[in-house]
């Protein structure tokens, strides 16, 4: 008689937003991606308490303008207390003057606008949970015109697009080279061309931009 194996633990995501409807909507969208357990917070105090309560969360998605947050002050407290907790910042504000500063913090994986397509959030979650390294500063929120131009995709060659999509999916240069029959040096050059043409500076921004472009097609 075989002993049934214990179910694998689900990934815990900390959702912090002072609007319950936003949190419920995020739960519905993120649950479609896999097996997740959600911990809710609605203020800085409840956020810090939830982050400190075991078992540990693997990711936090935080509204920067909740009660008590004081913008970057609350974010800094969270990052200082939990430096290894990956953080995705979300906001409904038209602009975030300190976004480029926050993006330099090691915990921050992405800064997203609430009005952006859900595919951007899904891509950011996948990258954060996969252990993607912190990325260079993102000057403005996606969708605000600060970076990236998905409209430049048609200007790229078919091979450039294939390399771009492979890189955005998480494939290494070595994997891309093997799959497409290219040298790693050629892959690096193709990616350099793609970054320049699309106005992005790293693979995270590339993944978010391509996810956004897919929703408008």
């Amino acid at each position: 008689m075989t002993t049934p194996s214990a179910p694998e633990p689900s990934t815990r995501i900390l959702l912090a937003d002072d609007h319950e409807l936003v949190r419920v909507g995020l739960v519905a969208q993120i649950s479609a991606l896999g097996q997740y357990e959600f911990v809710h917070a609605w203020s800085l105090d409840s956020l810090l308490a939830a982050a400190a309560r075991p078992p540990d969360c693997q990711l936090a998605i935080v509204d920067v303008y909740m009660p008590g947050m004081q913008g970057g002050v609350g974010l800094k407290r969270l990052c200082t207390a939990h430096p290894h907790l990956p953080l995705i910042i979300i906001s409904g504000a038209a602009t975030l003057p300190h976004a480029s500063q926050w993006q330099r913090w090691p915990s921050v994986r992405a800064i997203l606008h609430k009005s952006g397509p859900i595919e951007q959030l899904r891509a950011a979650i996948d990258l954060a949970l996969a252990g993607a390294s912190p990325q260079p500063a993102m000057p403005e929120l996606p969708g605000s015109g600060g970076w990236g131009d998905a409209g430049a995709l048609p200007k790229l060659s078919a091979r450039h697009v294939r390399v771009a999509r492979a890189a955005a999916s998480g494939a290494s240069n070595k994997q891309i080279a093997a799959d497409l029959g290219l040298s790693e040096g050629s892959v690096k050059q193709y990616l350099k061309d793609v970054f320049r043409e699309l106005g992005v500076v790293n693979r995270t921004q590339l993944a978010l931009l391509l996810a956004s472009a897919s929703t408008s097609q």
Side-chain angles (χ1 to χ4, degrees):
M1 180 177 178
T2 58
T3 302
S5 58
E8 294 186 4
S10 58
T11 299
R12 287 169 59 87
I13 296 180
L14 173 52
L15 295 178
D17 193 289
D18 55 328
H19 294 92
E20 184 178 5
L21 285 177
V22 172
R23 299 198 308 271
V24 171
L26 287 173
V27 167
Q29 292 291 342
I30 299 171
S31 294
L33 301 178
Q35 185 67 32
Y36 297 108
E37 179 182 351
F38 298 93
V39 180
H40 291 252
W42 46 90
S43 65
L44 177 60
D45 288 343
S46 62
L47 169 62
L48 295 175
R53 189 182 307 123
D56 292 342
C57 293
Q58 284 76 53
L59 174 66
I61 302 174
V62 178
D63 179 6
V64 70
Y65 289 128
M66 294 187 301
M69 288 293 285
Q70 297 181 324
V73 176
L75 288 176
K76 190 67 174 179
R77 287 184 61 184
L78 175 66
C79 293
T80 300
H82 305 278
H84 302 298
L85 175 63
L87 174 62
I88 295 175
I89 298 171
I90 58 173
S91 175
T95 59
L96 290 178
H98 303 293
S100 59
Q101 172 190 339
W102 299 338
Q103 190 68 27
R104 289 194 293 270
W105 296 351
S107 302
V108 176
R109 297 300 191 266
I111 302 175
L112 305 179
H113 199 276
K114 289 181 181 179
S115 64
I118 192 62
E119 281 74 10
Q120 284 186 340
L121 177 59
R122 289 177 174 176
I125 290 172
D126 286 344
L127 289 166
L129 293 178
S133 300
Q135 299 296 331
M138 189 182 300
E140 296 184 33
L141 289 170
S144 67
W147 62 268
D149 178 16
L153 274 172
K155 301 177 184 178
L156 298 172
S157 70
R159 179 153 288 178
H160 278 91
V161 172
R162 291 181 67 186
V163 169
R165 296 195 183 283
S169 70
S172 66
N173 287 356
K174 184 176 182 179
Q175 290 172 317
I176 298 171
D179 291 342
L180 300 184
L182 301 170
S183 68
E184 289 189 53
S186 295
V187 171
K188 291 180 181 178
Q189 184 59 51
Y190 276 123
L191 284 175
K192 183 178 179 180
D193 296 341
V194 166
F195 286 2
R196 182 181 65 250
E197 194 68 35
L198 298 185
V200 299
V201 298
N202 54 62
R203 293 180 183 230
T204 297
Q205 289 189 4
L206 176 63
L208 296 175
L209 187 65
L210 294 186
S212 175
S214 68
T215 66
S216 60
Q217 295 176 350

